[in-house]
Amino acid sequence: YRLGTFRAAAARFEPVPSASSERTVAVDAVVAVQEARKYLLRYGLALSSEYEAVLDEDLQSVGVAADLRDRNFLGRGISLGLGTRVEKDLASVRGLLSMPRLASLPLRTNVSLTLRKEDETSSAGTVYSDDEANLTLEQRWRPRGWL
């Protein structure tokens, strides 16, 4: 459950009368789990308006974005995702890998890579290009409940 593989988990204990004695009560443990959706698809329409100081212009654009994520890659609670965003002068692709534990340590580890290409054209016809590649590594520590 802590890995994020299940949306819900509940245990109940049912006594077993034939196996019980005066000092002990035998029980059967029944665990009910509800698995989270394995795949997650998000998509949307993007509307943006920004002032570009280099061009001294207000830029408006319409675009689309989509993200697809496998929330239980290899059955280990690992998330693996791919996303894209496309506008008139902008295209980006990003990949994500998220692990709930690093080896046996309670460190959630997220790694993402984003590739982005943007071209802007001034009213004078000058084209400005901006190509970026960003790699992000993030770790979160979840201390024990008593802290």
Side-chain angles (χ1 to χ4, degrees):
Y1 182 74
R2 286 183 148 183
L3 293 177
T5 305
F6 301 105
R7 182 177 16 197
R12 71 177 191 273
F13 303 98
E14 298 175 351
V16 180
S18 61
S20 299
S21 68
E22 292 180 13
R23 303 181 102 196
T24 61
V25 175
V27 295
D28 283 336
V30 179
V31 179
V33 295
Q34 186 177 28
E35 191 171 359
R37 288 188 199 138
K38 181 168 171 57
Y39 297 104
L40 178 65
L41 174 64
R42 293 183 189 177
Y43 57 91
L45 181 65
L47 305 172
S48 65
S49 177
E50 65 179 292
Y51 174 72
E52 182 58 57
V54 174
L55 303 176
D56 192 31
E57 294 178 344
D58 286 316
L59 302 174
Q60 288 84 27
S61 65
V62 176
V64 294
D67 286 312
L68 178 62
R69 184 173 296 181
D70 180 345
R71 295 170 46 167
N72 194 13
F73 184 66
L74 300 176
R76 303 282 185 204
I78 297 171
S79 286
L80 186 65
L82 182 65
T84 186
R85 178 178 168 190
V86 179
E87 293 181 11
K88 179 182 169 194
D89 298 321
L90 170 77
S92 71
V93 175
R94 95 185 135 267
L96 170 71
L97 174 68
S98 179
M99 297 178 292
R101 297 180 69 82
L102 182 64
S104 62
L105 301 173
L107 291 172
R108 173 170 282 284
T109 303
N110 300 315
V111 180
S112 66
L113 174 65
T114 304
L115 305 172
R116 183 174 189 259
K117 179 174 178 53
E118 184 173 11
D119 295 322
E120 295 181 7
T121 306
S122 69
S123 56
T126 306
V127 177
Y128 298 93
S129 292
D130 182 20
D131 296 341
E132 293 180 16
N134 298 312
L135 178 65
T136 304
L137 172 65
E138 171 190 65
Q139 289 188 310
R140 297 180 189 176
W141 174 55
R142 289 188 178 181
R144 301 266 183 217
W146 54 268
L147 285 179

